[in-house]
Amino acid sequence: MKFGVQISRWRTGIPDIVQWVADEGDDLGIDSAWTSESYGGEAFTPLAWMAAKTTRMRLGTGIVAMPARTPAATAMAAMTLDHISGGRVILGLGVSGQKVAEGWYGQSFGKPLTRTREYVDVVRQAIRRTEPLHYEGDYYQVPPAGSTARGLLCYMHPLRQEVPILLGSQGPKNIALSAEIADGMVTGLFAPKASSWYEKQLNTGFERAGFSSRKPGFEVAAIVDVRCGRTISEAAEPLRPTMAFYIAKMGLPGKNYYYDTFARLGFQELCERVARTYNDDGAEAAAALIPDEMIESIALVGPPDKIQSDLKAWDDSVVDLMVLRGPDEDIKTVLREALA
């Protein structure tokens, strides 16, 4: 199992974990530093800073939002960062959610699978730099329809013509798409006990791509919350409001992949109660319904020695890389022991 650290998504200032990863990450054996974005800080700038502070760690976006940039702009950022870092970039892409795509970026959400397929096509064509950029799709046209301009060839030569692309994937169709067209996937709320379900969706995509088994080099990265505490219940407490929000408010009615994730884990009836309670009685009442078992299924919670024991289930799963997020000291505690 490889380990990464989520270094972004801060709200009021840069957390100490960012400097710690820069100072100790290479020597400790941390595989990668990861950033993400939605409607706050953007993802590429912290990685450029981290590239200057490290020499070995990979630098991953998990994920950058497709509505935030044209595919060509994303390709430019990835190629630039790849040069700065000496070829350590992992480009994680995601369509974001409809609320963020339309309410922040001002972009129509549309058909996410079609948009993703086209976006990846254009990014790859731009980075490979084998011919002037030209694409005719439903969402992306380069040059645009009716234009008299010609497609351009990027004047900067890429350090690598094949920058690994991972797709942010939570639902079954997107997981299969990642296996079909990408080099890996980034997922959240992964539960080791559901590993066989993920493997089934991935195999669907591998078969579409012409592989009878797992695609060579394909990587599954999971964003995993970490909370240390004297007991499981104590450690899980700060995560209850987040889980309730995921279940009740992420996505739109009937299109909440986080809700579906917990339902597949056997919490269907509870999810219905949480969503109903959140709407009727508020966030605090809904959070009180979240049991330890639910949080323990998708997060590392409890005493440090218990967490180290829990890592075996993750190591036996389809996940190759655990990207840890949480309080600084909790991440340090878990990583120092796990990488010792």
Side-chain angles (χ1 to χ4, degrees), residues 28 334-340:
L28 192 61
V334 171
L335 281 179
R336 284 175 174 144
E337 181 65 26
L339 295 171

Side-chain angles (χ1 to χ4, degrees), residues 127-192:
I127 293 176
R128 285 169 179 165
R129 197 182 175 276
T130 57
E131 59 185 0
L133 188 58
H134 181 83
Y135 195 81
E136 297 180 7
D138 293 336
Y139 288 95
Y140 302 102
Q141 300 88 36
V142 185
S147 172
T148 58
R150 294 183 178 181
L152 300 177
L153 187 68
C154 182
Y155 63 75
M156 181 176 70
H157 292 249
L159 180 66
R160 294 181 295 168
Q161 286 187 308
E162 299 295 335
V163 172
I165 294 177
L166 279 61
L167 296 183
S169 304
Q170 196 69 37
K173 292 181 180 179
N174 217 33
I175 293 172
L177 183 66
S178 70
E180 180 187 355
I181 69 171
D183 304 298
M185 78 172 194
V186 182
T187 190
L189 303 186
F190 179 90

Side-chain angles (χ1 to χ4, degrees), residues 18-226:
V18 178
Q19 187 66 56
W20 181 79
V21 171
D23 291 342
E24 301 188 31
D26 277 345
D27 292 338
L28 192 61
I30 294 173
D31 171 81
S32 43
W34 291 78
T35 56
S36 62
E37 62 186 18
S38 54
Y39 51 101
E42 62 85 45
F44 284 110
T45 303
L47 291 183
W49 181 88
M50 188 63 71
K53 299 289 185 178
T54 60
T55 60
R56 187 196 61 78
M57 276 189 300
R58 296 189 294 165
L59 307 168
T61 60
I63 48 99
V64 290
M66 295 180 197
R69 303 167 188 83
T70 65
T74 295
M76 291 164 61
M79 284 190 285
T80 304
L81 183 58
D82 212 40
H83 273 288
I84 290 173
S85 66
R88 292 186 278 148
V89 169
I90 310 168
L91 181 58
L93 300 172
V95 293
S96 190
Q98 186 169 356
K99 288 182 177 180
V100 176
E102 298 180 356
W104 181 253
Y105 296 114
Q107 300 292 314
S108 173
F109 192 59
K111 298 178 180 178
L113 296 178
T114 301
R115 181 188 293 273
T116 299
R117 189 182 293 273
E118 292 185 8
Y119 201 99
V120 170
D121 284 345
V122 178
V123 168
R124 282 207 171 115
Q125 187 182 142
I127 293 176
R128 285 169 179 165
R129 197 182 175 276
T130 57
E131 59 185 0
L133 188 58
H134 181 83
Y135 195 81
E136 297 180 7
D138 293 336
Y139 288 95
Y140 302 102
Q141 300 88 36
V142 185
S147 172
T148 58
R150 294 183 178 181
L152 300 177
L153 187 68
C154 182
Y155 63 75
M156 181 176 70
H157 292 249
L159 180 66
R160 294 181 295 168
Q161 286 187 308
E162 299 295 335
V163 172
I165 294 177
L166 279 61
L167 296 183
S169 304
Q170 196 69 37
K173 292 181 180 179
N174 217 33
I175 293 172
L177 183 66
S178 70
E180 180 187 355
I181 69 171
D183 304 298
M185 78 172 194
V186 182
T187 190
L189 303 186
F190 179 90
K193 71 178 183 179
S195 184
S196 60
W197 180 87
Y198 284 85
E199 193 167 7
K200 181 179 178 181
Q201 315 314 313
L202 289 170
N203 286 337
T204 298
F206 294 145
E207 290 172 5
R208 289 176 186 162
F211 294 91
S212 57
S213 58
R214 185 164 175 156
K215 186 190 300 183
F218 191 87
E219 186 169 33
V220 177
I223 311 295
V224 185
D225 286 301
V226 178

Side-chain angles (χ1 to χ4, degrees), residues 200-318:
K200 181 179 178 181
Q201 315 314 313
L202 289 170
N203 286 337
T204 298
F206 294 145
E207 290 172 5
R208 289 176 186 162
F211 294 91
S212 57
S213 58
R214 185 164 175 156
K215 186 190 300 183
F218 191 87
E219 186 169 33
V220 177
I223 311 295
V224 185
D225 286 301
V226 178
R227 295 292 189 280
C228 296
R230 292 174 299 174
T231 65
I232 295 171
S233 186
E234 177 187 284
E237 191 64 28
L239 293 175
R240 296 187 213 281
T242 303
M243 297 306 116
F245 178 78
Y246 280 148
I247 291 169
K249 293 299 181 181
M250 288 293 281
L252 297 175
K255 295 182 180 180
N256 185 342
Y257 296 119
Y258 299 97
Y259 180 108
D260 295 341
T261 295
F262 284 118
R264 281 195 301 272
L265 294 176
F267 297 108
Q268 173 72 53
E269 183 178 346
L270 179 60
C271 286
E272 293 174 1
R273 288 177 57 207
V274 169
R276 186 169 58 250
T277 301
Y278 204 112
N279 291 326
D280 294 344
D281 303 317
E284 187 174 342
L289 298 176
I290 304 295
D292 293 348
E293 180 188 3
M294 175 181 281
I295 297 174
E296 193 178 12
S297 68
I298 51 91
L300 297 172
V301 291
D305 57 345
K306 182 261 185 187
I307 288 177
Q308 294 300 321
S309 177
D310 288 346
L311 289 176
K312 185 180 186 308
W314 292 83
D315 199 29
D316 291 340
S317 74
V318 72

